[in-house]
Amino acid sequence: ALSLHGLHGEILIADCTITDNVALTNAGGAYNVNEGDTRFRNCILWGNTAPQIYQDGLSLEVAYSDVQGGWEGLGNIDADPLFAEPENADYRLSSASPCIDAADNTAVPADVLDLDGDGDTGEPIPFDLDGNPRFVDDPNTEDTGNGEPPIVDMGAYEYQPPEPPECPADFDGDGDVD
């Protein structure tokens, strides 16, 4: 669980997956009693004890996030994120996840530590939690997020679609020419 207590100023929580937390009081996902502005962007808050977010701070804004039970804000959804194997703590997105291509490209934090070593610290962070490319388009998913394609996914992991079939005429991937 994420607890923001007694902090001052602006706090940005971006590209996070917060799940499977249990709290004895108030909320299991995020507990905000911040004395400044708190913003969640491109996050998934799912499967925590309800409510997912407890708000007792000055300002809380949630956008382009998947919040179980819903949360008002631009681009937010309330839909099962369809994690790959949550029973095994694998919170990558499965191919049918509504979180794919549904986040906000402009909210991905800058690569201030130059994680990819290209000398550009102003670009968005180029990797997900697994070290896979962060901006990957899934051609089978409609882009519902914000920005120029490819649209980033909600949560800490970017869905990595399977490689196209070896045979370019095998349109359904079953191994024969269609």
Side-chain angles (χ1 to χ4, degrees):
L2 178 65
S3 178
L4 304 170
H5 181 74
L7 300 172
H8 302 276
E10 186 176 302
I11 298 171
L12 171 64
I13 298 101
D15 307 304
C16 293
T17 300
I18 302 172
T19 188
D20 286 342
N21 294 287
V22 177
L24 299 177
T25 60
N26 298 327
Y31 184 82
N32 180 41
V33 290
N34 176 29
E35 295 179 15
D37 296 326
T38 302
R39 297 180 301 140
F40 282 87
R41 295 288 186 278
N42 303 347
C43 294
I44 299 172
L45 291 106
W46 200 269
N48 304 292
T49 53
Q52 299 299 305
I53 303 171
Y54 175 78
Q55 168 60 10
D56 192 22
L58 293 178
S59 173
L60 176 66
E61 184 181 341
V62 181
Y64 292 96
S65 295
D66 187 5
V67 182
Q68 187 175 13
W71 197 272
E72 187 176 322
L74 185 63
N76 290 340
I77 61 173
D78 175 11
D80 185 338
L82 300 174
F83 295 126
E85 293 184 44
E87 65 279 2
N88 295 320
D90 181 353
Y91 301 110
R92 291 174 191 84
L93 303 175
S94 68
S95 62
S97 175
C99 299
I100 296 171
D101 297 345
D104 180 3
N105 287 358
T106 66
V108 178
D111 186 17
V112 295
L113 298 176
D114 195 20
L115 298 174
D116 58 357
D118 67 357
D120 185 356
T121 58
E123 69 182 342
I125 293 176
F127 304 117
D128 70 0
L129 188 60
D130 272 343
N132 291 318
R134 190 56 169 152
F135 296 86
V136 176
D137 182 54
D138 178 14
N140 298 317
T141 301
E142 179 184 354
D143 293 340
T144 59
N146 182 48
E148 291 295 318
I151 305 292
V152 69
D153 299 344
M154 293 176 179
Y157 299 98
E158 188 78 10
Y159 176 70
Q160 306 294 315
E163 293 294 320
E166 293 287 325
C167 175
D170 179 10
F171 297 111
D172 60 7
D174 67 357
D176 63 8
V177 176
D178 298 314

